[in-house]
Amino acid sequence: MKNSNGGTVASEAFGCRTFSGAVMRNYLPEDVYRKLKLTMERGTPLDPAIAGTVAAGMKKWAMEHGATHYTHWFQPLTGSTAEKHDAFLTPTTDGGAIERFSGDQLVQGEPDASSFPSGGIRETFEARGYTAWDATSPAFIFRTGDTPTLCIPTAFVSWTGEALDHKTPLLRSIQAVSQHALRILRVFGTHVGVSQVITTIGCEQEYFLVDRAFYDRREDLRLCGRTLLGAPAAKGHQLDDHYFGAIPERAMAFMSEVEQRAYELGVPLKTRHNEVAPNQFEFAPVFENANVATDHQMQIMQLLRTAAEHHGLVCLLHEKPFAGINGSGKHNNWSIATDTGVNLLDPREEAHTNMQFLVFLLAVVRAVDLHADLLRAAVASAGNDHRLGANEAPPAIISIYLGDMLSDILAQLEKGAPRATKKGGQLHLGAHTLPQLPRHSGDRNRTSPFAFTGNKFEFRAVGSSQNIAWPNTVLNTIVAESLDHIATQLEKRVGRSAGPARLESAVKGLLRELVRQHKRIVFDGDNYSAEWHAEAARRGLPILKTTADALPALAAKSAVALFEKYGVLTRRELHARVDVNLEKYNRTVGIEARALVSMLKREVLPAALRFQTELGHSVGALQAANVDARETKAQLEYVVDLTGRLHRQIEVVEHAEAHKADSPKTHAEHVRDRLLPAMAEARALSDALEQIIPDDLWPLPRYAEMLFTR
Ligand code: ADP
Ligand code: MG
């Protein structure tokens, strides 16, 4: 299949260990191959009669690659992936064994579902859950060490058919976008030959690398993936000398292993570079259709974690491993395209004449304006709260950056017909030997949470450890609603077989209304500034600072109606997600609190007491020698004071952690208002102690070591 840039989708180009493209053709009879290909590329419903033949081909191929087992591979609400392996060999009564992998085994599995979070959908006494083959995402062979396993992407549902995973609603939301986008194409007469509209995703993944030896000595990193205490190092990223710098050798060896493994899996990694913070890096793939891109994104995270171990490193995917240092996100580049390869968010040459582009653009603007709270809720997690709250990632306030050119066109639309596209102009590089580059008119604004970047939107608030299926499900659903609204309006105003003049005036009229109603969500300025926060409040945009504030939006009646209307999630399924995420927030912070207390009691307090003793001896020795001991005594008093306060603050944290609330929601509020502030206070005391306790007494690796050891 061609992607929207006209290139071949990379999973086929690399396809040695994925059941797609040429591999599929070699292992399947021609007619079956064609049918499966149609399902994968054009979304044609799968013919159940071919499952047996596909299973046989897949098994043959997998066994030739050394696989002895297969697994249905799925994405439960834990946020990670799940697998349970079954052998191809089945023992027979005569002591032998036969190879078996039937169509039924390919199409459906029945893992014991009782231990996966379901948010109350599936009671444990009806623990059955089913996995169902997703024929649109290629099966792949994953190597764990040297052991290859055939992995079959599947959806995971309860016995009532309710979604227990992230893939099912994502697929439903993609369908909703397609249905309503097609209606708009029909109005413009550009639908010919298009059988579905797809959403495309290319996700930039940021991460940290830390030396394994340090990681092993930090309980917080091992249990929570982030440091719960740690005084700042003298150097952070003030000098901006890491960003795009030369990649250190060990990191490069790691990256090249990840890339090698990724290509085997058909995951098209494309760029690698140093990020802003010390020891922070990034990978980005070539974009693909949303469903496959999501599966591949999960594989990338797994590869990052496992490959790091081969290089004496640990890969931290947490959103904020180090306080005061830039956190990690996932820039979710997203667009809509026809399955014939037309990117519907590409303005082409003269943006103002491209009415259809403007319609799709404003559909997204309208969606984000009406449902900014849902987008915020879709990226809410304990980890991401640390990132969205600080002036380094986009703020928790969702707004859209369009850039000069488009903002100008919108202003013209509002007044009447747009006359001219602001030309990008030339960039003067100040050196005659360099070519003059045309200025990209979608220039960069790194502070915006949702930026138009020339031919796609970049949703930057997504957390680095998150499964991207959920934020994209929410994004697709709100966009589907806007496309539906706009399609209905256009169908009404244009009618059937309207001439171009009628079409143009109807579109212009509608665009003008949309700009008037939704321009408040557009903000091209500095999202970090205090003025913007005040301005956003004036504009009535939702300001949802924490997960506890953000998640309830998804449980609102209006949200339920929206998700039900587009067939993405039922009330129960949506509420389940809210509950699971609230519980996850509560449990995550609970674990952090207990790990913090444990480290403070076992490591920090004993070090502080030893230092007190040393200082005490020193004061005694000085006094015995009749030397002025005032400075040393003052230092001793300072340490005694900090230690005493830390002692008491640990009790405050323990008390807050032990609190029991009636519901996940009220507990989340308690976590936000009591537990997290208590932990921050304890940390501040510990960090103050760390800054004066000598190296031979301080038991933990320090920020300077973890961040600057390459
Ligand atoms: P930057 O860091 O400048 O934002 P990168 O090149 O690191 O850019 O990442 C851009 C990402 O956007 C890549 O993964 C790329 O494949 C993806 N992308 C490009 N076009 C589209 C599109 N039409 N739909 C979705 N993603 C896209
Ligand atoms: Mg980017």
Side-chain angles (χ1 to χ4, degrees):
M1 136 182 197
K2 301 283 178 201
N3 67 22
S4 25
N5 284 348
T8 307
V9 165
S11 52
E12 290 188 18
F14 294 115
C16 44
R17 302 273 172 110
T18 65
F19 199 70
S20 62
V23 172
M24 225 164 76
R25 169 164 245 153
N26 289 341
Y27 285 82
L28 297 178
E30 184 65 22
D31 59 322
V32 174
Y33 164 73
R34 275 172 196 281
K35 280 184 180 165
L36 184 54
K37 200 160 174 274
L38 270 180
T39 300
M40 291 175 93
E41 292 176 5
R42 311 295 298 240
T44 330
L46 184 78
D47 173 3
I50 68 169
T53 316
V54 175
M58 238 185 226
K59 185 194 72 182
K60 182 161 186 287
W61 165 72
M63 290 185 81
E64 281 172 16
H65 278 90
T68 55
H69 288 65
Y70 73 93
T71 180
H72 278 195
W73 182 82
F74 56 102
Q75 297 166 32
L77 297 180
T78 53
S80 36
T81 57
E83 48 194 80
K84 181 189 153 223
H85 300 195
D86 272 299
F88 289 126
L89 283 180
T90 309
T92 52
T93 44
D94 60 2
I98 50 160
E99 281 169 19
R100 269 203 52 197
F101 181 54
S102 66
D104 290 349
Q105 284 167 309
L106 167 64
V107 170
Q108 189 177 316
E110 198 183 318
D112 177 10
S114 52
S115 299
F116 292 112
S118 74
I121 284 185
R122 179 194 27 64
E123 306 298 336
T124 20
F125 60 84
E126 44 189 49
R128 252 183 305 174
Y130 294 99
T131 48
W133 178 33
D134 170 18
T136 61
S137 182
F140 55 94
I141 294 176
F142 196 89
R143 282 192 292 126
T144 310
D146 289 329
T147 310
T149 305
L150 170 63
C151 298
I152 299 157
T154 53
F156 179 45
V157 295
S158 78
W159 66 282
T160 54
E162 286 167 295
L164 294 172
D165 69 344
H166 285 305
K167 185 191 268 285
T168 309
L170 175 67
L171 288 172
R172 295 172 182 161
S173 74
I174 292 170
Q175 258 179 34
V177 168
S178 181
Q179 184 191 339
H180 298 288
L182 276 170
R183 287 171 58 203
I184 292 178
L185 297 187
R186 266 182 231 120
V187 171
F188 281 94
T190 48
H191 61 295
V192 183
V194 178
S195 48
Q196 58 177 343
V197 168
I198 59 170
T199 55
T200 50
I201 300 178
C203 230
E204 301 157 53
Q205 171 75 56
E206 295 177 334
Y207 58 92
F208 279 86
L209 291 176
V210 175
D211 191 285
R212 176 83 206 204
F214 297 139
Y215 176 88
D216 284 341
R217 284 167 50 209
R218 300 249 354 180
E219 186 170 333
D220 46 6
L221 285 182
R222 289 201 316 276
L223 299 187
C224 312
R226 77 173 179 108
T227 55
L228 299 169
L229 34 94
K235 184 180 172 187
H237 31 68
Q238 302 92 331
L239 302 178
D240 287 331
D241 51 354
H242 187 68
Y243 190 55
F244 281 14
I247 298 172
E249 267 186 30
R250 186 154 59 140
M252 184 64 104
F254 155 81
M255 288 180 186
S256 126
E257 180 180 336
V258 171
E259 284 161 354
Q260 198 56 45
R261 297 286 313 273
Y263 298 155
E264 268 182 32
L265 294 166
V267 178
L269 284 184
K270 175 108 163 102
T271 58
R272 58 186 188 207
H273 63 80
N274 290 1
E275 254 306 322
V276 171
N279 275 352
Q280 191 188 29
F281 306 90
E282 178 183 303
F283 263 127
V286 177
F287 68 93
E288 302 176 279
N289 86 55
N291 180 38
V292 173
T294 301
D295 286 356
H296 282 169
Q297 224 292 310
M298 296 308 284
Q299 293 170 38
I300 290 172
M301 289 199 284
Q302 193 171 350
L303 291 180
L304 289 173
R305 286 197 204 92
T306 48
E309 290 176 23
H310 302 156
H311 301 273
L313 295 164
V314 174
C315 176
L316 302 177
L317 291 173
H318 194 281
E319 285 76 13
K320 192 75 174 179
F322 304 99
I325 298 288
N326 268 15
S328 300
K330 219 146 23 193
H331 292 177
N332 186 95
N333 295 276
W334 173 96
S335 191
I336 326 177
T338 65
D339 62 353
T340 51
V342 179
N343 180 352
L344 298 170
L345 287 174
D346 189 343
R348 312 285 173 85
E349 277 302 295
E350 290 277 312
H352 76 281
T353 55
N354 200 333
M355 291 282 166
Q356 184 178 294
F357 158 74
L358 288 173
V359 164
F360 280 97
L361 182 85
L362 278 160
V364 179
V365 170
R366 177 182 178 276
V368 176
D369 182 36
L370 290 180
H371 305 292
D373 56 343
L374 300 185
L375 274 187
R376 167 65 184 98
V379 297
S381 72
N384 216 15
D385 280 358
H386 295 290
R387 179 176 163 255
L388 301 182
N391 277 355
E392 37 125 323
I397 306 166
I398 302 287
S399 66
I400 295 187
Y401 168 81
L402 288 180
D404 285 354
M405 183 186 82
L406 283 174
S407 292
D408 181 53
I409 288 173
L410 257 50
Q412 292 185 45
L413 272 174
E414 196 184 355
K415 283 187 230 127
R419 264 183 298 276
T421 304
K422 232 186 196 181
K423 281 286 177 205
Q426 299 273 301
L427 263 190
H428 290 281
L429 300 177
H432 296 301
T433 49
L434 293 173
Q436 300 298 310
L437 302 175
R439 189 168 67 98
H440 201 266
S441 38
D443 47 356
R444 294 301 164 124
N445 178 331
R446 293 269 161 207
T447 68
S448 174
F450 203 92
F452 186 73
T453 48
N455 58 1
K456 61 185 187 295
F457 278 98
E458 188 171 334
F459 185 18
R460 301 206 182 101
V462 179
S464 51
S465 68
Q466 207 178 347
N467 182 331
I468 58 167
W470 180 229
N472 284 293
T473 300
V474 174
L475 178 56
N476 290 344
T477 307
I478 65 175
V479 169
E481 192 270 337
S482 259
L483 294 172
D484 179 13
H485 168 83
I486 290 173
T488 306
Q489 289 298 317
L490 287 178
E491 285 160 358
K492 227 187 277 170
R493 296 180 199 191
V494 177
R496 281 178 195 279
S497 64
R502 174 117 178 246
L503 174 66
E504 194 175 319
S505 88
V507 171
K508 276 186 187 154
L510 181 60
L511 289 174
R512 187 177 323 134
E513 282 169 32
L514 290 171
V515 173
R516 284 197 183 138
Q517 283 158 6
H518 303 292
K519 64 179 179 189
R520 65 164 189 172
I521 195 72
V522 177
F523 178 65
D524 284 354
D526 179 2
N527 282 256
Y528 297 167
S529 67
E531 295 81 56
W532 167 236
H533 290 227
E535 168 68 18
R538 257 195 307 281
R539 293 191 192 182
L541 299 180
I543 302 180
L544 303 165
K545 291 214 167 96
T546 71
T547 300
D549 303 309
L551 277 177
L554 280 165
K557 273 208 183 91
S558 53
V560 172
L562 173 72
F563 281 85
E564 289 202 321
K565 179 163 183 201
Y566 294 95
V568 176
L569 291 166
T570 64
R571 199 183 97 89
R572 242 159 69 105
E573 289 172 325
L574 184 59
H575 280 199
R577 275 148 188 82
V578 176
D579 278 355
V580 167
N581 284 334
L582 277 172
E583 289 279 14
K584 195 168 169 188
Y585 172 76
N586 295 339
R587 284 180 192 164
T588 302
V589 182
I591 291 167
E592 288 180 349
R594 290 193 298 279
L596 176 65
V597 166
S598 156
M599 290 173 78
L600 292 173
K601 282 184 172 172
R602 292 179 307 102
E603 303 187 284
V604 175
L605 279 182
L609 292 176
R610 279 187 207 128
F611 188 35
Q612 279 182 24
T613 311
E614 276 191 8
L615 286 171
H617 286 316
S618 183
V619 171
L622 290 173
Q623 283 168 343
N626 240 338
V627 177
D628 184 354
R630 271 177 302 181
E631 301 290 345
T632 317
K633 219 172 142 208
Q635 198 185 3
L636 174 59
E637 276 161 7
Y638 177 58
V639 175
V640 170
D641 173 57
L642 281 177
T643 312
R645 282 160 63 197
L646 182 56
H647 249 299
R648 293 187 291 279
Q649 190 60 28
I650 290 174
E651 278 174 27
V652 177
V653 174
E654 283 180 316
H655 184 73
E657 195 277 317
H659 175 84
K660 296 270 175 290
D662 315 330
S663 74
K665 184 166 175 290
T666 51
H667 193 69
E669 286 156 8
H670 167 81
V671 165
R672 174 194 66 196
D673 298 336
R674 299 268 173 271
L675 184 53
L676 281 167
M679 290 165 65
E681 178 62 23
R683 178 194 181 131
L685 294 165
S686 170
D687 290 356
L689 281 164
E690 180 183 341
Q691 277 163 317
I692 48 170
I693 291 180
D695 272 350
D696 62 332
L697 294 181
W698 186 253
L700 296 163
R702 299 180 190 260
Y703 270 28
E705 297 169 281
M706 291 185 284
L707 288 167
F708 292 94
T709 303
R710 299 284 148 88

